Amino acid sequence: MLCHISDRSKADIKWKGVNGLNEIEIIYQKYYKFVKGYAFTLCFDESLAEDITQETFFKAIKSYEKFNHKCKVETWLCQIAKNTFLNLKRPKQTENIDDFLNLVSDDNIEESLVKKDNVKNILSASKELESPYKEVFYMKTLGDFSYEIIAEVFEKSESWARVTYYRAKQKIIERMNENE
């Protein structure tokens, strides 16, 4: 369990915790998979997602005493991950459609080919989305993030997240219809 530490000193944060673990270790254990999943929705590259996750926790440890607890820990970590991704983003496109095709099951080959073709078309159209539509679409569709978390990451309202996701889907549908 995480303790609320807003009134603690840096030394207390570093050494006090639960069951012999300090709070930073507890945060790492509790949110590692969550942050890595979010990082993957940003870059669609398993290796890069791992790098972003490690860099996120490194930055979080360095700046933990500045964390003001006005938002949830996972929101704070996602903000760090997003900024890390933006700083690491290379000029080349990091999204790989083949990575998404692996998400489709191969139970029925004919059905699978249709699904893969649809996934490929959706992803091709989504790559053209501008920010924040692209990020919100990926977070909701691929990362299965709640509207609440998406809103917190972007420091907006939950209704903003819902509307942005809806508009992203509409833009993708329009682009797919143009390409038919």
Side-chain angles (χ1 to χ4, degrees):
M1 296 268 164
L2 287 176
C3 305
H4 192 68
I5 60 165
S6 60
D7 298 324
R8 293 193 189 164
S9 70
K10 186 176 178 181
D12 288 335
I13 293 168
K14 196 171 188 179
W15 300 111
K16 291 186 179 178
V18 178
N19 297 330
L21 298 173
N22 69 43
E23 280 190 275
I24 294 171
E25 290 171 323
I26 294 167
I27 289 170
Y28 180 82
Q29 289 177 356
K30 185 172 182 178
Y31 296 109
Y32 174 82
K33 288 182 181 178
F34 179 83
V35 172
K36 187 173 180 187
Y38 173 68
F40 185 78
T41 67
L42 295 172
C43 65
F44 304 110
D45 179 310
E46 191 69 32
S47 178
L48 185 55
E50 178 69 32
D51 291 344
I52 291 169
T53 303
Q54 293 300 322
E55 185 68 18
T56 296
F57 280 101
F58 177 72
K59 290 177 179 179
I61 290 167
K62 284 179 31 180
S63 64
Y64 192 69
E65 67 276 359
K66 296 176 189 171
F67 178 47
N68 61 17
H69 296 276
K70 290 183 179 177
C71 64
K72 293 179 182 177
V73 172
E74 60 263 38
T75 302
W76 176 62
L77 292 170
C78 284
Q79 289 170 336
I80 295 171
K82 181 180 178 185
N83 290 334
T84 300
F85 169 71
L86 293 174
N87 290 339
L88 294 174
K89 193 171 182 180
R90 297 176 183 98
K92 69 177 186 118
Q93 188 68 25
T94 58
E95 298 162 84
N96 186 350
I97 289 177
D98 292 332
D99 291 338
F100 293 108
L101 297 180
N102 294 331
L103 299 175
V104 179
S105 69
D106 291 324
D107 295 338
N108 180 335
I109 294 175
E110 187 176 307
E111 217 176 274
S112 180
L113 289 173
V114 170
K115 285 181 183 177
K116 285 182 179 182
D117 193 42
N118 287 339
V119 168
K120 194 172 189 175
N121 290 337
I122 291 169
L123 293 174
S124 292
S126 70
K127 286 170 63 173
E128 299 172 17
L129 289 174
E130 57 277 352
S131 186
Y133 299 106
K134 185 181 202 178
E135 292 88 352
V136 170
F137 178 77
Y138 289 157
M139 287 176 72
K140 185 66 180 160
T141 306
L142 300 171
D144 200 29
F145 287 92
S146 69
Y147 290 115
E148 179 185 5
I149 296 294
I150 293 169
E152 288 179 10
V153 168
F154 284 92
E155 298 177 336
K156 304 281 187 179
S157 69
E158 198 171 320
S159 62
W160 174 90
R162 289 178 190 279
V163 168
T164 304
Y165 178 66
Y166 175 80
R167 289 178 181 165
K169 289 192 306 184
Q170 294 304 312
K171 289 175 185 257
I172 289 170
I173 290 168
E174 287 174 18
R175 288 192 173 110
M176 289 176 63
N177 288 338
E178 289 172 2
N179 292 333
E180 285 184 356

